[in-house]
Amino acid sequence: MKYFKYIALLLLVAVTMGSCDKKDVSYMAEPVNESQKAYIQIGYYAPVTAGAANYMYFVDINGVEYGNDGATFLATFNTVPSGGTNRYYVVDAGNVNIKLHKRESDGNGGYNYPVVYDQNVTVEAGKRYCLYVHDLNKAPIPIEMTPAPEFSPALDTDSLCRVQFINLLYEADGTPHTGKVQYGVQNLDTKEYEPVGTPIGFGECTPWFTVNIRKTVYNSSGSQRREVCLFAVDNTGKVTGKLPYTLSNGNTGEFTDYWTWYIGRAYRQIAAGNCGSKTIRCTLYQFVIE
């Protein structure tokens, strides 16, 4: 038994010494020259109904195909890369070709993935963009994803969050919304909706603006429900009232919404859909940037 114990000990030492051999660790990555690269996201905001028939299953960027093993990759009113608002694909600056693939049955229990979108757009080196696909027959709109501005730490029970607004609304006849749209936030004291930011046309983005958050629980990170609206703006720049749009019952309403915002956070909101449709309704989509 004594010999067996020593043999086992020697084997253990040998295995331990062998496992301590120096190994080179390599990472499957390539260095990127940022002076020649741009960073892009693909946003799919065409005014179509939600559902598998309109989802995209593969996205091709400059000949490189991205997918989800045959599952939905890019749903309507969404963006890729998914899983984080600050994730991007790296591409060479200059011309970028985007192809989108839908899925259709091949009649034999399988699927084909035809290209339903094939357009080009130009991007600049060192910048971050979301390329918003709003029409399957037109080039995407490149909107630069500027970082949210910094501000001083929150004080006491009243402080700020940051918001940016993008207009991708369509009219009842299926054409981009005419005129401009103004974001509005309800005044906490008077309860009146007040314009914030700047009026923007279709395919435009406001600069970042701040909104007051008056938290109700003192010893908390601080959040508050804020009532918001969209104003219609005429060709002279005058606000003519809340934006009219079609409700799900077919009646006409004035666009209002609400969001719970947190002190210090940054939010990007996108108005998309068809102002005259009860099935592809005018909707605000929100992404938390930080």
Side-chain angles (χ1 to χ4, degrees):
M1 289 295 295
K2 191 182 297 184
Y3 295 110
F4 284 116
K5 183 172 71 173
Y6 290 137
I7 291 172
L9 181 60
L10 289 172
L11 288 173
L12 178 62
V13 171
V15 170
T16 304
M17 292 180 65
S19 65
C20 293
D21 289 346
K22 184 178 180 181
K23 300 291 184 182
D24 292 328
V25 178
S26 61
Y27 298 92
M28 302 300 290
E30 298 178 3
V32 173
N33 184 345
E34 293 197 36
S35 66
Q36 300 175 5
K37 301 291 184 179
Y39 303 84
I40 65 169
Q41 300 172 341
I42 309 297
Y44 178 31
Y45 287 83
V48 296
T49 54
N54 288 314
Y55 291 165
M56 298 300 169
Y57 287 79
F58 292 96
V59 174
D60 184 301
I61 303 174
N62 286 343
V64 179
E65 190 174 85
Y66 301 89
N68 187 24
D69 196 26
T72 301
F73 186 64
L74 178 56
T76 49
F77 305 105
N78 241 300
T79 304
V80 290
S82 59
T85 54
N86 290 314
R87 299 177 66 193
Y88 293 85
Y89 299 111
V90 180
V91 298
D92 291 330
N95 182 72
V96 177
N97 176 257
I98 305 296
K99 293 183 178 70
L100 303 180
H101 300 249
K102 280 189 179 180
R103 186 179 73 175
E104 62 181 25
S105 172
D106 64 4
N108 297 309
Y111 297 100
N112 295 319
Y113 298 90
V115 174
V116 296
Y117 184 79
D118 186 354
Q119 296 289 335
N120 296 283
V121 67
T122 301
V123 295
E124 296 182 26
K127 292 186 177 181
R128 286 167 164 75
Y129 297 89
C130 187
L131 308 181
Y132 286 102
V133 176
H134 65 96
D135 185 321
L136 294 182
N137 296 306
K138 295 181 180 179
I141 297 173
I143 294 183
E144 187 177 354
M145 299 287 97
T146 57
E150 299 295 332
F151 45 64
S152 59
L155 298 175
D156 202 39
T157 59
D158 194 356
S159 199
L160 304 170
C161 73
R162 298 153 291 175
V163 182
Q164 190 176 46
F165 171 61
I166 296 170
N167 174 15
L168 293 176
L169 288 171
Y170 268 70
E171 299 278 16
D173 62 358
T175 61
H177 180 71
T178 56
K180 293 190 175 183
V181 177
Q182 169 78 60
Y183 201 89
V185 179
Q186 189 182 67
N187 185 293
L188 292 171
D189 300 311
T190 67
K191 306 305 179 184
E192 296 292 327
Y193 287 94
E194 299 174 345
V196 292
T198 56
I200 55 173
F202 180 84
E204 295 181 340
C205 178
T206 68
W208 288 93
F209 55 85
T210 57
V211 177
N212 285 325
I213 303 298
R214 191 176 296 168
K215 67 179 183 178
T216 54
V217 178
Y218 180 81
N219 189 24
S220 72
S221 60
S223 64
Q224 185 181 30
R225 168 172 161 162
R226 296 306 312 267
E227 309 290 331
V228 304
C229 76
L230 297 179
F231 289 113
V233 179
D234 65 18
N235 292 331
T236 68
K238 179 182 177 181
V239 172
T240 58
K242 296 186 184 72
L243 181 74
Y245 80 114
T246 301
L247 303 171
S248 58
N249 59 9
N251 294 333
T252 298
E254 296 180 327
F255 189 90
T256 60
D257 202 350
Y258 65 88
W259 296 90
T260 298
W261 287 333
Y262 285 78
I263 290 172
R265 291 293 185 107
Y267 304 94
R268 183 171 288 122
Q269 292 199 341
I270 303 156
N274 190 317
C275 294
S277 171
K278 66 179 183 179
T279 55
I280 314 170
R281 295 173 55 200
C282 169
T283 304
L284 274 176
Y285 299 90
Q286 176 171 283
F287 296 88
V288 181
I289 305 305
E290 61 181 51

